[in-house]
Amino acid sequence: MMEVSMQEHLASELAKFCVKLDGRIGNVAPRFSGGYAIVYKGILLPEGTIVAIKTGKSPGDKIVIEHAWHEVLLWSKLCHENIASLCGFTIFDASIALVSPWQERGNAHDYVQKSDVDPRPLLLGIARGLDYLHAHDLGPIVHGDLKGHNVLVSDDGHALLTDFGASSLTGLSLTTTLKPYRGGTLRWMAPELLDDEIASVQSDVWAFGMTALELFTRQVPFHGIFVYGALFRIATGTPSRPTVESTYNRLTDAWWCICMECWQRNPASRPSMSDIITEIERLILSTMSSTRQAMILQWCLHPSFSLTIPHLQSHPSEPLTV
């Protein structure tokens, strides 16, 4: 009964700044399970919007409920074109569940498995979303678990950062018993995290480089290497450069340089996400006609502009070659 009481208390607190959707979700069916969560698909009533419902694998568990409360609290403070939106929360399966719009294109890792999908526009969106987090008005927000599976792809091809269960907001008291997050997913983790350091904006930058490698190769970092081998590589060096053929000539020298800068051993030597965005935009613009440059510049300034970078994927006659 203690867990139920805590659940009700946290739900009443969340309802002060996030929409409670109890009784408004129908046709719920499980879709997939991963990590510590199960994701269901349902319909938000009365709008009829198809939504994803994320809940913990251990219903009623105190830590699971606190993690969900933490994620709702932080996610509710986010609003950006490259951040997945939060519809609200509900009590589902004896726990707090997060409700967000369903993205039919799935996550970035699965999306780039199609060889005709160029990952570079997605990476610009990921960089923009991460920079938004790091420069948030309330203080730097660390994502803490950036990887392709934690990036959704919208119907119009934009990258949407999601899964903020490992995220932290510097300077904000979340009034829970949760300890500062020190993890991530091993193959994307910065070396300092192996020494039990707390996740930081700099470790997010390292993870961005690994996510870039992942999306270019369509494989997880250190693919084919067992866990202990991956640990050794992270602790002592960086990934080997993939072959040109394996990345369809998309991982150019300039992009490899961006990855290597993200993998500086000294966290203080890594570039900011703002610097990375500037470099990516410079690379894209340098290969475009003047008309295309104007289109892309408009998108960079106003991401809701209809002629978006993902739109270029439908123009194979003018591929991105940065």
Side-chain angles (χ1 to χ4, degrees):
M1 295 299 293
M2 179 182 66
E3 289 81 8
V4 174
S5 177
M6 182 189 69
Q7 168 192 296
E8 293 174 348
H9 170 71
L10 294 180
S12 65
E13 290 296 310
L14 287 178
K16 295 177 182 178
F17 52 84
C18 187
V19 179
K20 190 175 183 182
L21 299 171
D22 288 359
R24 292 185 53 193
I25 301 174
N27 296 350
V28 177
R31 291 305 299 263
F32 55 86
S33 174
Y36 300 100
I38 301 174
V39 176
Y40 298 81
K41 186 177 183 180
I43 297 177
L44 180 62
L45 304 172
E47 296 90 340
T49 304
I50 301 176
V51 292
I53 305 102
K54 175 186 170 184
T55 186
K57 285 185 176 179
S58 302
D61 180 82
K62 177 181 177 182
I63 298 300
V64 170
I65 293 172
E66 282 204 345
H67 270 288
W69 184 83
H70 168 101
E71 187 169 3
V72 173
L73 176 61
L74 194 148
W75 195 356
S76 67
K77 300 179 183 301
L78 307 180
C79 182
H80 187 270
E81 294 85 358
N82 295 112
I83 301 291
S85 59
L86 177 67
C87 299
F89 76 98
T90 187
I91 302 302
F92 181 79
D93 202 11
S95 189
I96 295 173
L98 293 75
V99 182
S100 60
W102 181 266
Q103 303 299 339
E104 194 62 40
R105 295 193 180 192
N107 66 71
H109 178 89
D110 294 342
Y111 185 65
V112 299
Q113 298 306 313
K114 296 174 288 186
S115 61
D116 61 333
V117 175
D118 189 333
R120 289 170 286 189
L122 285 175
L123 287 167
L124 177 55
I126 294 170
R128 288 173 57 87
L130 207 53
D131 180 56
Y132 164 77
L133 294 179
H134 292 177
H136 198 278
D137 291 343
L138 294 176
I141 295 176
V142 177
H143 185 280
D145 196 16
L146 181 67
K147 56 183 178 181
H149 280 102
N150 286 343
V151 178
L152 299 175
V153 181
S154 69
D155 290 342
D156 57 2
H158 285 286
L160 303 171
L161 272 60
T162 190
D163 200 337
F164 300 100
S167 301
S168 58
L169 174 53
T170 304
L172 178 69
S173 173
L174 297 178
T175 63
T176 74
T177 58
L178 297 176
K179 296 180 180 179
Y181 195 75
R182 288 179 165 80
T185 304
L186 174 63
R187 295 173 186 272
W188 289 260
M189 284 173 60
E192 64 269 18
L193 299 183
L194 302 181
D195 295 327
D196 207 29
E197 293 289 330
I198 296 173
S200 65
V201 294
Q202 290 82 14
S203 62
D204 270 355
V205 171
W206 176 286
F208 174 81
M210 287 297 176
T211 303
L213 179 65
E214 171 195 4
L215 298 189
F216 275 116
T217 62
R218 304 172 309 286
Q219 297 175 332
V220 299
F222 307 107
H223 175 75
I225 300 176
F226 289 114
V227 171
Y228 289 112
L231 275 169
F232 179 79
R233 291 291 297 275
I234 294 169
T236 60
T238 57
S240 301
R241 183 169 180 174
T243 64
V244 171
E245 294 77 15
S246 68
T247 66
Y248 296 99
N249 298 302
R250 292 165 178 157
L251 183 54
T252 61
D253 290 344
W255 271 98
W256 184 245
C257 284
I258 290 175
C259 290
M260 292 298 291
E261 285 297 309
C262 292
W263 300 330
Q264 291 287 328
R265 309 302 297 177
N266 181 359
S269 298
R270 296 170 199 158
S272 67
M273 290 311 304
S274 177
D275 291 338
I276 291 172
I277 290 170
T278 299
E279 180 63 14
I280 294 174
E281 290 175 349
R282 184 191 68 79
L283 291 175
I284 291 176
L285 290 174
S286 69
T287 64
M288 297 292 166
S289 66
S290 58
T291 301
R292 288 292 175 122
Q293 285 187 25
M295 291 165 57
I296 301 306
L297 182 59
Q298 181 79 327
W299 183 87
C300 290
L301 295 174
H302 306 287
S304 60
F305 184 63
S306 60
L307 295 175
T308 63
I309 285 181
H311 181 70
L312 294 174
Q313 294 178 22
S314 63
H315 292 78
S317 61
E318 189 174 345
L320 290 172
T321 56
V322 297

